[in-house]
Every structure is written in structure tokens, then in C-alpha cells.
């Protein structure tokens, strides 16, 4: 099966030149995050991802997870790999020191997570969910809950889940799982949840479920939902494991992809009730769950990037070895590797340029998350927070939609064998398919973006980002280097289309949400390609600057060409998207339901 080579050079370029790692290292507690340390961490993670995780991806897909004697059994090799993952301290990379973590910045952890996902998204999902559960307990859990559960969840010795979905309730207001107060201050839960990722497995002795449920007598709708920590195995006063809680995996879903993750139907309280502990206060569950969902949304965006990188590497390797056709305009009539054909090169560059653009935007967002949490200046913190909130639907929605398209293009590069499972390219597409759905579909992200973050905000947050984009465009357009001026010209058009779309959405929102929401999908894509184009503009400027002291660098020379390709082939789509947003709601709204 295909090898994975961690893209360390690009990751370091992005961290140092675009995400301003030196500024992150100046934040309180992050003094050790120097470029040297970052390089060492990335190299170590790269070895783990390529040598331990990546080899399990295909075998895990084939073998899948089985329910044996009521317990999910993970595929061969996963238990050993996970034990090594924990032993090496990877789950605790960005957790605070006082909780047993290594306190490294989120921007570095994001690059590392991309590698886990390139190795295997099915593997990466386990720590993704646990990290989210840890975040919620850290912010909203009582000192007692924190003391009992956090250290072993941070270390990865126990894992966590996110338990929202019920058969009738994709929509959270419809949650029916019940919680009743018990005499000892805990609760007893009864209900069925579906689609619970890593709901049960044999990699660790305990799983801590964070479950949404309704306390008896709670208000109807989302205002009456509370959050509970429900361990698979109850924990005794002295920290040892006690009795099995009244929680079990009833079945494992058969899925299109991610065969090596147990996606479980979970029964809580088949008997006397599952013992649960309230997280925070009653009826504020949704608010707490959003802490988890926001970190998970960004992390799912990183799944899109990681999968796309792996699909690209596989396609590139195949294009180098597959001999087919003669080179048009070439010097001989001998057959050549397909990488010589202009259209194959276009596909590879389309994949590569979008991956680098997403990686850059993700790193800039992750750096902003670090700044929003730790900068000493409240105004700076607020500005970073506003940027992160605006861009979160793009990270979740656009990174994953783009990752899916890149995985599909990877199959196209392979031709017919790409469609055959043994080749392995198809798995990336199957695995990518869920990323645009879970943690809120792209449609829900687009609605959040246009409704809450553009319409109700009157376009203020995005206005501040556009000012920053315009500065980069001006630097590009006034540059001595023609390639950079060409990138600047495309960025100028992209930003113009974005401005026109924002103006139209803000205006139409005032008259009611429907026309604006009809354009929300195209707007999410437009903001994604322009924001990532802005980062590619910055990348081109940085590469040009660095070339002055390193004129022979292939990496920097090709970085500029990759940015140019992105401008010409990806950013240039902005005009069509603008048209769909500004003028395209008519048919969407005029079609009757019956006419579809
Ligand atoms: C493999 C897998 C793993 C999962 N893991 C977990 C997990 O660990 N924990 C958990 O709790 N859940 C999990 N889920 C559930 C997942 O988060 C939901 O399936 C997802 O959020 C979509 O909800 P839904 O299936 O109810 O779809 P629906 O909400 O029924 O959506 C169907 C379609 O309608 C659109 N739509 C729905 N409402 C609106 C609206 N208001 N406006 C515009 N469009 C709308 C959607 O975009 C979508 O295209 C998982 C699901 C899968 C398949």
C-alpha cells in the first residue's frame, strides 16, 4: 500500500512564515515553542504517522471492526499502535502541564493532527473526540469530575466520546434521552443514541461519554438540554475501576468508509439506568457541547487536509510510474509516464495547490486560536476570536468539500485502477465522504456563516478580514516580480467578488433570510477560495523574500509557481460564485416542492 511522506518542509514554511510561530512563542507559557523545537516535534510525529499509523490504514479498512460477545474488537495491530501513541505522549501534546500535558501551542498540534489524518483518519478520530471531551470537562466540569477523569483522558489512557445524535434527533432540540436525579447527587440516564464514534472499543479500559439528555421537568427545546459525563466503567473513590455502568454498544454501523472506527448504536440505561454526572449546570448542556463541537469542527477540517495530502501523494507516485501514451509535442514517439501529460500535471497541481492553500489557512486559524486564548491585550484577543469564529464554518465546510474533491481527483489520475479497491485510492474517497457530513453538514456550516456571521453581524467581522486581504493584494500588485503581480491581480478580482457577495447578502438578509440562505453554499466556497488565496498571496511574498538569501531553493521557486496556479485555476472561480450568490436565488426559491 501507498507510503506516506510527511510534508515537513511545507509545514515548517507555513508555521514560520505565515502562522508567525515566533509571535506564538511570545505568548505566556509557550516560550519553548521555538522553530527548532517545532521542527523536532514535526519530524517525530512524521515518523510515527508514516511508520506506525499509515501502515494500518488499508488493513484496518479491509478488516473493519467486529462486535464479539457484545464488545467491539478493533482490527489487528490497532491496540499496539494506540499503546505506542499513548506511551509517546502524543494525546497530551497541547494539554496544559498541570494536567499532564506538554503545553505546546495549538498551531503546532494542528500540523501534527494533519499527519495523523494522513496516516489514517480512522485512527486520528479517537484522539480527536477525546480532546474535545477533555476541553469540555476542563471548561465546565466540577473540580471533582476533573480530578477523577481528566488526567487519564489527557494521557489517552481512557478515551472520550461525543454523544448527541438520536434516531429522531439530528436536530438537538428533539433529544429524548432522559436523566433523573439520584439520591447521591448523580443522575440515571435512559435512552438510545446512534452513530457514536468510538462508542466502545478494546483499546482502553474505560470510555467517558459526554451525553446530552433532558432532566425530568426541564423546559422544552434546546433550553432544557443538559450534559452528563457517563463512564463505561464506574470509577471508585480511590481512582480504581469498579462496576460496569449500564451502558453498552448494541450494534456497529456498516458504513461507506472509516471501516476501522466503531460507529455504535449505544443503549444508556437498559436496566436501572446509566450513572451520569452533571457537567456544569442543568439546562446549559448545549452551550458546553458547543465547546466540543467547535474544536471538533476545526479538527474535522484537518481531516479534509490530511486525506487530501495522502490522496495527492498516491496519485503523484502513480503518475510517475504509469506509462501510457506518447508525449504530445515531445521529441520521440516512445511512451511516457503519464506525469508528462499536461492534463495530468494540471490535476496534480490542482490537488497540490489547494492542499497548500488549505494548510496555510488552517495554520493561520490555529495561530489565531492560540492568540485568542493567551494574548495579554483584550482587543487583540477579541480580534483573533472574531476571525476564528468567522472562519470556522469554512474550515469545517470548505476544507472537507475540497478534500473530498481532491480524493476524487486522485482516482481520476489513476484512471480505471483508481476505481478498483486493491489500489487504495478509492479508500480515501470513501473515508472523505463522511467529513462533509458529521460535526454539522456543509449546509449547516453555510447557514451558520451567512446567517450568524454575515447577516446578523452586518458584515463587520468579514470587513475587518477584507482589509487585511487588501493589504496583501496591494503588496503583490506593486511587486517587482511579474509572477507575484499576476497573483495579486487574481486576488484583487477574488476580493472584489467577495465584497460584492457580502454586500448583496447583508442587504438581502434585511428583507428575510431565504434569498441569502439560497446563496449560502456558494458563499462558503467563495470565502474559502479567497481566504486561502490571500494566504497563498502571503506565501508567494514570503517565498520571494526568502529566495533572496537562498536563490537555489526549488521549494521556494515552486511555491511561487504553485501560488500562481492557485490564482489562475482556483481563485478565478470567484466570478461564477459571485454570480450564483448575487443573482442565483431565483430558481431555488421559485421551484415548488412537487416540481423537483
Ligand atoms: C460515521 C458517522 C459518525 C458519527 N459520529 C457521531 C458522534 O460521534 N456523535 C454524534 O452525536 N453523532 C455522530 N454522527 C452523527 C452526525 O453528526 C449527523 O449524522 C450529522 O450531523 C447530520 O445529521 P443528520 O444525519 O440528522 O442529517 P439531517 O439533519 O437529517 O440532514 C439531512 C440533509 O438536510 C440538510 N439540512 C438539515 N437541516 C437543515 C437546515 N436547517 N437547513 C439547511 N439544510 C438542512 C443537511 O445539510 C443534510 O444535507 C455520526 C454520523 C456518522 C455517519
Amino acid at each position: 500500500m501507498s507510503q506516506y511522506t510527511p510534508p515537513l518542509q511545507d509545514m515548517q514554511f507555513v508555521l514560520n512564515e505565515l502562522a508567525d510561530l515566533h509571535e506564538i512563542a511570545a505568548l505566556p507559557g509557550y516560550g519553548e515553542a521555538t522553530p527548532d523545537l517545532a521542527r523536532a516535534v514535526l519530524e517525530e510525529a512524521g515518523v510515527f504517522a508514516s511508520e506506525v499509523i499509515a501502515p494500518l490504514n488499508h488493513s484496518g479498512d479491509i478488516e473493519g471492526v467486529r462486535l464479539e460477545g457484545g464488545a467491539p474488537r478493533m482490527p489487528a495491530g490497532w491496540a499496539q499502535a494506540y499503546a505506542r501513541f499513548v506511551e509517546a505522549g502524543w494525546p497530551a501534546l497541547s494539554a496544559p502541564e498541570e494536567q499532564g500535558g506538554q503545553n505546546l501551542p495549538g498551531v503546532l498540534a494542528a500540523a501534527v493532527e494533519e499527519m495523523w489524518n494522513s496516516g489514517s483518519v480512522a485512527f486520528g478520530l479517537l484522539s480527536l473526540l477525546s480532546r474535545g471531551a477533555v476541553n469540555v470537562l476542563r471548561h465546565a466540569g466540577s473540580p471533582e469530575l476533573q480530578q477523577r477523569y481528566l488526567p487519564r483522558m489527557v494521557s489517552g489512557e481512557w478515551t472520550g466520546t461525543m454523544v448527541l445524535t438520536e434516531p429522531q434527533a439530528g436536530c438537538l432540540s428533539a433529544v429524548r434521552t432522559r436523566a433523573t436525579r439520584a439520591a447521591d447527587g448523580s443522575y440515571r440516564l435512559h435512552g438510545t443514541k446512534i452513530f457514536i464514534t468510538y462508542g466502545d472499543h478494546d483499546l482502553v479500559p474505560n470510555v467517558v461519554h459526554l451525553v446530552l439528555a433532558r432532566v425530568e421537568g426541564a423546559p422544552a427545546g434546546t433550553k432544557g438540554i443538559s450534559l452528563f459525563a457517563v463512564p463505561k466503567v464506574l470509577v471508585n473513590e480511590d481512582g480504581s475501576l469498579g462496576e460496569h455502568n449500564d451502558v453498552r454498544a448494541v450494534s456497529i454501523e456498516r458504513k461507506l468508509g472509516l471501516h476501522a472506527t466503531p460507529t455504535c448504536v449505544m443503549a444508556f440505561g437498559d436496566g436501572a439506568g446509566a450513572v451520569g454526572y452533571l457537567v456544569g449546570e442543568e439546562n446549559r448542556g448545549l452551550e458546553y457541547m458547543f465547546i466540543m463541537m467547535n474544536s471538533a469542527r476545526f479538527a474535522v477540517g484537518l481531516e479534509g487536509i490530511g486525506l487530501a495530502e495522502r490522496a495527492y501523494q498516491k496519485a503523484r507516485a502513480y503518475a510517475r510510474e504509469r506509462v501510457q501514451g506518447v508525449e504530445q509535442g515531445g521529441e520521440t514517439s516512445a511512451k511516457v509516464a503519464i506525469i508528462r501529460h499536461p492534463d495530468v500535471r494540471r490535476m496534480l497541481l490542482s490537488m497540490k495547490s489547494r492542499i497548500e492553500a488549505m494548510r496555510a489557512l488552517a495554520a493561520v486559524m490555529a495561530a489565531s486560536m492560540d492568540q485568542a486564548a493567551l494574548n495579554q491585550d483584550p482587543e487583540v484577543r477579541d480580534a483573533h476570536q472574531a476571525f476564528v469564529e468567522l472562519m470556522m464554518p469554512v474550515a469545517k465546510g470548505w476544507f472537507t468539500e475540497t478534500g473530498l474533491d481532491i480524493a476524487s481527483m486522485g482516482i481520476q489520475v489513476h484512471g480505471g485502477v483508481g476505481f478498483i479497491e486493491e489500489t487504495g485510492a478509492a479508500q480515501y474517497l470513501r473515508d472523505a465522504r463522511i467529513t462533509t457530513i458529521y460535526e454539522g453538514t456543509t449546509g449547516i456550516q453555510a447557514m451558520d456563516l451567512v446567517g450568524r456571521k454575515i447577516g446578523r453581524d452586518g458584515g463587520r467581522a468579514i470587513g475587518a478580514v477584507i482589509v487585511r486581504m487588501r493589504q496583501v493584494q496591494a503588496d503583490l500588485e506593486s511587486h517587482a516580480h511579474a509572477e507575484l503581480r499576476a497573483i495579486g491581480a487574481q486576488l484583487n478580482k477574488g476580493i472584489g467578488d467577495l465584497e460584492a457577495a457580502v454586500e448583496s447578502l447583508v442587504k438581502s438578509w434585511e428583507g428575510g433570510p431565504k434569498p441569502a440562505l439560497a446563496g449560502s453554499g456558494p458563499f462558503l466556497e467563495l470565502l474559502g477560495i479567497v481566504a486561502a488565496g490571500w494566504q497563498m498571496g502571503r506565501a508567494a511574498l514570503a517565498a520571494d523574500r526568502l529566495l533572496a538569501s537562498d536563490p537555489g531553493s526549488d521549494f521556494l521557486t515552486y511555491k511561487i509557481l504553485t501560488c500562481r496556479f492557485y490564482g489562475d485555476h482556483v481563485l478565478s472561480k470567484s466570478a461564477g460564485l459571485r454570480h450564483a450568490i448575487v443573482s442565483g436565488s431565483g430558481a431555488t426559491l421559485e421551484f415548488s416542492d412537487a416540481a423537483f
Side-chain angles (χ1 to χ4, degrees):
M1 263 310 123
S2 79
Q3 303 291 312
Y4 166 59
T5 309
L8 297 177
Q9 198 171 13
D10 195 48
M11 285 179 167
Q12 281 173 59
F13 173 82
V14 162
L15 277 180
N16 293 319
E17 306 304 326
L18 305 182
D20 301 325
L21 185 64
H22 60 282
E23 288 182 12
I24 303 297
L27 294 172
Y30 285 165
E32 285 178 22
T34 59
D36 282 347
L37 182 97
R39 185 187 317 114
V41 170
L42 291 178
E43 280 171 5
E44 277 292 305
V47 170
F48 198 90
S50 57
E51 293 182 7
V52 182
I53 303 177
L56 296 174
N57 195 43
H58 187 63
S59 59
D61 181 59
I62 306 258
E63 189 182 335
V65 187
R66 301 183 307 281
L67 205 56
E68 278 182 13
R73 179 162 300 285
M74 294 297 291
W78 285 62
Q80 292 82 347
Y82 186 72
R84 287 177 67 183
F85 189 69
V86 171
E87 198 185 325
W90 290 117
L93 193 67
S94 57
E97 258 168 28
E98 62 273 17
Q99 283 162 6
Q102 298 170 45
N103 204 40
L104 285 172
V107 68
L108 183 56
V112 168
E113 275 171 54
E114 182 200 311
M115 293 195 235
W116 304 154
N117 291 320
S118 288
S120 166
V121 169
F123 187 93
L125 258 175
L126 181 53
S127 54
L128 181 161
L129 286 160
S130 292
R131 249 189 338 270
V134 162
N135 278 343
V136 176
L137 288 180
R138 191 181 289 142
H139 282 98
S142 65
E144 197 197 344
L145 267 184
Q146 291 185 351
Q147 190 208 335
R148 190 167 292 188
Y149 293 99
L150 270 185
R152 281 184 274 188
M153 291 174 75
V154 167
S155 69
E157 198 182 327
W158 297 347
T159 60
T161 64
M162 181 162 126
V163 187
L164 288 72
T165 309
E166 298 183 5
Q168 80 296 342
C171 164
L172 297 175
S173 59
V175 162
R176 281 196 199 139
T177 297
R178 288 180 297 119
T180 46
R181 294 182 194 92
D184 64 358
S186 65
Y187 291 73
R188 297 294 174 271
L189 273 72
H190 295 269
T192 301
K193 298 280 185 175
I194 59 169
F195 296 157
I196 305 308
T197 301
Y198 278 101
D200 195 11
H201 56 90
D202 56 2
L203 300 179
V204 294
N206 206 2
V207 179
V208 181
H209 304 286
L210 288 187
V211 186
L212 286 183
R214 205 175 274 290
V215 178
E216 277 178 329
T222 50
K223 291 204 173 94
I225 295 176
S226 303
L227 183 67
F228 298 88
V230 182
K232 168 180 162 181
V233 184
L234 296 171
V235 181
N236 297 321
E237 286 294 318
D238 64 1
S240 61
L241 289 178
E243 285 175 30
H244 207 290
N245 203 354
D246 188 2
V247 180
R248 69 189 177 93
V250 179
S251 61
I252 298 178
E253 305 290 1
R254 291 183 60 224
K255 315 191 283 289
L256 177 67
L258 295 187
H259 292 159
T261 62
T263 306
C264 304
V265 175
M266 302 291 300
F268 291 85
D270 269 354
V275 176
Y277 307 99
L278 185 67
V279 177
E281 293 171 23
E282 278 187 11
N283 302 330
R284 291 181 61 190
L286 218 54
E287 181 189 322
Y288 305 137
M289 199 50 119
F290 264 104
I291 300 171
M292 183 155 176
M293 275 160 59
N294 266 330
S295 77
R297 281 179 178 174
F298 184 68
V300 173
L302 296 176
E303 291 184 346
I305 305 175
L307 269 163
E309 173 68 35
R310 188 84 187 267
Y312 165 64
Q313 290 192 14
K314 184 154 184 54
R316 180 182 62 189
Y318 185 76
R320 284 182 177 142
E321 81 190 21
R322 168 71 171 167
V323 174
Q324 187 74 235
V326 296
E327 188 173 351
Q328 298 291 313
E331 287 176 0
T332 72
S333 58
K335 290 198 168 160
V336 292
I338 60 171
I339 201 164
R340 296 293 321 149
H341 300 313
D343 190 56
V344 173
R345 299 167 87 78
R346 175 195 60 79
M347 286 192 278
L348 290 174
L349 262 175
S350 170
M351 298 168 85
K352 174 180 163 66
S353 66
R354 286 183 291 163
I355 291 165
E356 291 183 16
M358 289 192 287
R359 180 177 296 129
L361 183 56
V364 168
M365 282 185 68
S368 266
M369 289 181 223
D370 288 332
Q371 292 281 4
L374 291 173
N375 197 293
Q376 302 291 287
D377 181 339
E379 268 183 40
V380 175
R381 275 205 306 272
D382 288 352
H384 281 287
Q385 187 60 29
F387 173 67
V388 170
E389 282 176 19
L390 173 72
M391 297 306 295
M392 195 54 86
V394 170
K396 167 62 179 73
W398 185 67
F399 292 174
T400 56
E401 291 286 348
T402 307
L404 181 61
D405 189 65
I406 289 172
S408 177
M409 203 172 250
I411 293 182
Q412 192 72 15
V413 170
H414 281 77
V417 296
F419 196 63
I420 306 301
E421 283 291 353
E422 280 80 354
T423 312
Q427 187 193 345
Y428 306 135
L429 180 64
R430 288 190 287 100
D431 286 353
R433 196 63 201 83
I434 186 61
T435 60
T436 65
I437 296 172
Y438 59 20
E439 290 307 332
T441 59
T442 310
I444 296 295
Q445 304 304 321
M447 203 166 73
D448 178 42
L449 175 64
V450 164
R452 245 169 24 101
K453 292 162 183 177
I454 303 289
R456 272 185 245 162
D457 173 72
R460 269 177 294 278
I462 198 165
V465 178
I466 287 175
V467 169
R468 293 164 67 194
M469 292 177 176
R470 284 276 180 218
Q471 280 163 3
V472 172
Q473 170 232 320
D475 290 347
L476 287 163
E477 285 196 315
S478 60
H479 205 279
H481 192 322
E483 291 287 355
L484 270 70
R485 288 200 303 280
I487 298 168
Q490 277 306 339
L491 186 57
N492 183 27
K493 288 187 204 159
I495 300 171
D497 291 328
L498 184 62
E499 285 169 333
V502 170
E503 195 188 326
S504 158
L505 288 175
V506 169
K507 245 191 225 145
S508 78
W509 186 260
E510 285 165 7
K514 272 196 176 171
L517 291 180
S520 61
F523 183 74
L524 182 131
E525 189 180 351
L526 177 62
L527 180 55
I529 65 172
V530 176
W534 162 42
Q535 296 310 320
M536 288 302 257
R538 292 183 65 218
L541 287 164
D544 183 76
R545 198 178 57 245
L546 294 172
L547 268 171
S549 53
D550 187 7
S553 164
D554 281 351
F555 172 80
L556 296 171
T557 304
Y558 289 126
K559 174 61 88 176
I560 293 175
L561 281 178
T562 307
C563 296
R564 171 81 196 265
F565 180 96
Y566 183 91
D568 291 338
H569 287 251
V570 187
L571 250 180
S572 57
K573 292 183 177 148
S574 63
L577 292 165
R578 167 195 180 155
H579 182 80
I581 297 156
V582 174
S583 319
S585 65
T588 316
L589 300 179
E590 283 162 33
F591 240 66
S592 76
D593 292 356
F596 276 99

